[in-house]
């Protein structure tokens, strides 16, 4: 019976197939770009593709944010801004660790994607993707990703997006926003993006001959 159910589920899947001065900016009035998984949450049908847990640690190993139990069983795949009102700080060029737990089912796994809106335009561009869903897959065990916060020269508040997609479908670094044809989920984390300290010369320029 289990084999029959598995074959039925697989049949459904195949059928659905510079330079400048540092400035500061606050979260803009408009919302972050929308996103959705077109076929619903993976757990809604007993499939996979959902991100189940995420932890963000800074370069010292301090936990900045951690959330679990994120699988969903509805057609609404956007889980919201998980830490709304309590942002954490990330500094340009800083190396951080992002620990992600996905889901798996019958030989299928989860494509994880992570984007950082470092240019503060309330969207996610290809060059803001720090974990590429096109080249990474995870299962139901936590996987750790060491990434560098992209460089920028404008500090301010915005978001980081995490989204998952079942490996039966494709998802690329270009798809931080919008709808993706697949099962999975997505959510945002509120972040204060900061620039590093301005370098100070530690030498003396000779003045004589």
């Amino acid at each position: 019976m289990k084999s029959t159910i598995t074959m039925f589920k697989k049949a459904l899947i195949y059928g659905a197939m510079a330079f400048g001065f540092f400035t500061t900016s606050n979260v803009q009035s408009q919302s972050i770009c929308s996103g959705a998984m077109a076929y619903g949450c993976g757990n809604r049908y007993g499939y996979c593709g959902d991100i189940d847990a995420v932890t963000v640690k800074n370069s010292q190993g301090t936990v900045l944010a951690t959330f679990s139990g994120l699988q969903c069983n509805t057609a609404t795949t956007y889980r919201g801004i998980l830490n709304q009102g309590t942002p954490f700080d990330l500094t340009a060029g800083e190396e951080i660790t992002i620990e992600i737990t996905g889901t798996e089912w019958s030989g299928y796994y989860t494509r994880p994607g992570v984007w950082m809106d470092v240019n503060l335009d309330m969207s996610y561009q290809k060059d803001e993707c720090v974990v590429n869903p096109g080249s990474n897959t995870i299962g139901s065990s936590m996987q750790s990703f060491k990434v560098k916060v992209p460089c920028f020269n404008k500090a301010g508040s915005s978001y980081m997006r995490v989204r998952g997609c079942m490996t039966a479908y494709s998802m690329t670094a270009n798809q931080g926003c919008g709808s993706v044809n697949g099962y999975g989920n997505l959510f945002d984390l509120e972040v204060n993006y900061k620039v590093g300290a301005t370098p100070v010369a530690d030498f003396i320029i000779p003045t004589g001959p």
Side-chain angles (χ1 to χ4, degrees):
M1 181 64 179
K2 182 178 179 180
S3 175
T4 301
I5 293 173
T6 299
M7 291 178 62
F8 177 68
K9 286 183 175 181
K10 286 186 175 180
L12 286 177
I13 291 170
Y14 289 126
M17 307 235 351
F19 296 97
F21 294 102
F22 293 153
T23 59
T24 301
S25 173
N26 294 323
V27 172
Q28 302 175 30
S29 58
Q30 74 264 35
S31 301
I32 192 70
C33 69
S34 63
M37 302 304 294
Y39 303 154
C41 299
N43 193 45
R44 184 185 186 193
Y45 302 99
Y47 299 153
C48 60
D50 294 347
I51 300 296
D52 188 50
V54 64
T55 296
V56 181
K57 298 179 180 179
N58 66 14
S59 53
Q60 286 76 45
T62 302
V63 174
L64 303 176
T66 184
F67 297 92
S68 59
L70 300 175
Q71 294 186 59
C72 48
N73 57 6
T74 65
T76 302
T77 57
Y78 180 62
R79 307 290 284 157
I81 303 168
L82 301 187
N83 64 332
Q84 190 162 25
T86 56
F88 55 87
D89 296 342
L90 291 179
T91 303
E94 176 186 12
E95 184 176 76
I96 66 171
T97 300
I98 304 175
E99 298 174 348
I100 308 175
T101 303
T103 48
E104 57 186 88
W105 168 77
S106 191
Y108 294 103
Y109 300 91
T110 301
R111 300 187 190 280
V114 180
W115 292 260
M116 298 180 183
D117 179 32
V118 295
N119 67 5
L120 310 180
D121 68 348
M122 295 293 144
S123 187
Y124 298 107
Q125 313 301 328
K126 179 180 179 180
D127 59 2
E128 295 176 316
C129 181
V130 295
V131 176
N132 189 342
S135 56
N136 289 286
T137 61
I138 58 175
S140 56
S141 297
M142 183 275 289
Q143 187 163 331
S144 180
F145 297 89
K146 286 192 176 295
V147 304
K148 277 197 173 183
V149 179
C151 290
F152 53 90
N153 60 7
K154 182 181 180 181
S157 299
S158 192
Y159 302 95
M160 170 195 296
R161 173 160 293 175
V162 182
R163 75 187 303 173
C165 178
M166 187 179 185
T167 53
Y169 308 93
S170 63
M171 185 167 70
T172 71
N174 288 309
Q175 294 177 295
C177 300
S179 181
V180 172
N181 290 331
Y183 297 98
N185 63 356
L186 67 155
F187 49 85
D188 291 307
L189 299 172
E190 192 173 342
V191 178
N192 289 324
Y193 290 106
K194 296 188 172 185
V195 294
T198 304
V200 177
D202 59 357
F203 57 87
I204 299 174
I205 300 175
T207 58

